[in-house]
Amino acid sequence: MMQFLLLFSRQGKLRLQKWYGAQATKQKKKITRELITTILTRKPKMCSFLEWKDMKVVYKRYASLYFCCCVEESDNELLALEVIHRYVELLDKYFGSVCELDIIFNFEKAYFMLDELVLGGEVQETSKKNVLKAIAAQDLLQEEETPQGFFEDHGLG
């Protein structure tokens, strides 16, 4: 089972975090700081798997973003790497070559996509097509909720 997923920049800025187990806020910050520092100091040719405490950390860098996932010691790290890759593929498909700014300005979409893929630390949906359908349905719902011309009528458009 996945314990948490972190998404951070090369500069060490946390862009997205999803925790699947109960942790105190102070503990989350400590874990995040420790892992970001550890991963950023590793050389590019080094293995993307770490044994950390009594768990395994799997990470992968895509452009300027690091995707880091922590799984239980008995879990398959290659499967965790595949989940990370599937998530990146979904983000790429939706945003058209995802970048850090897409995550910053559309973090709710990134979280929604992650929730469609992983629920409670377990993979919920393996089909990219089904996840993208759910996101398209969510977008459609959102469009219906925002009345056409609302922004123009209120001097915001």
Side-chain angles (χ1 to χ4, degrees), residues 36-48:
I36 289 174
T37 305
T38 302
I39 291 169
L40 288 176
T41 56
R42 291 173 62 86
K43 292 184 177 26
K45 298 263 187 222
M46 292 177 91
C47 180
S48 293

Side-chain angles (χ1 to χ4, degrees), residues 131-147:
V131 172
L132 291 168
K133 268 188 208 170
I135 293 159
Q138 170 76 14
D139 286 347
L140 201 61
L141 243 166
Q142 208 169 9
E143 280 177 26
E144 288 173 6
E145 285 178 6
T146 308

Side-chain angles (χ1 to χ4, degrees), residues 39-99:
I39 291 169
L40 288 176
T41 56
R42 291 173 62 86
K43 292 184 177 26
K45 298 263 187 222
M46 292 177 91
C47 180
S48 293
F49 308 139
L50 293 170
E51 286 188 9
W52 181 74
K53 299 191 178 188
D54 58 341
M55 294 179 260
K56 291 178 188 170
V57 174
V58 179
Y59 70 93
K60 182 85 170 123
R61 180 178 161 199
Y62 291 91
S64 67
L65 290 170
Y66 283 89
F67 292 76
C68 171
C69 171
C70 184
V71 295
E72 293 173 358
E73 205 169 29
S74 60
D75 286 343
N76 184 339
E77 53 272 345
L78 292 174
L79 184 61
L81 196 59
E82 184 60 34
V83 170
I84 289 172
H85 187 70
R86 178 60 47 107
Y87 184 47
V88 172
E89 286 178 327
L90 286 166
L91 290 168
D92 270 347
K93 196 90 162 158
Y94 185 79
F95 292 111
S97 190
V98 70
C99 69

Side-chain angles (χ1 to χ4, degrees), residues 87-152:
Y87 184 47
V88 172
E89 286 178 327
L90 286 166
L91 290 168
D92 270 347
K93 196 90 162 158
Y94 185 79
F95 292 111
S97 190
V98 70
C99 69
E100 195 173 344
L101 289 175
D102 291 324
I103 302 297
I104 293 168
F105 293 116
N106 300 292
F107 64 90
E108 66 287 336
K109 287 287 178 219
Y111 276 115
F112 184 78
M113 219 173 290
L114 183 59
D115 289 342
E116 285 295 314
L117 182 65
V118 178
L119 188 64
E122 299 287 344
V123 175
Q124 173 181 279
E125 180 61 70
T126 56
S127 166
K128 284 188 280 189
K129 192 183 282 186
N130 287 349
V131 172
L132 291 168
K133 268 188 208 170
I135 293 159
Q138 170 76 14
D139 286 347
L140 201 61
L141 243 166
Q142 208 169 9
E143 280 177 26
E144 288 173 6
E145 285 178 6
T146 308
Q148 204 66 10
F150 172 83
F151 294 106
E152 290 82 10

Side-chain angles (χ1 to χ4, degrees), residues 3-6 17-21 23 27-28 31-32:
Q3 299 300 309
F4 57 84
L5 184 124
L6 304 173
Q17 61 179 328
K18 185 72 175 187
W19 298 81
Y20 297 105
Q23 296 278 353
Q27 186 66 15
K28 286 179 186 177
I31 291 169
T32 303

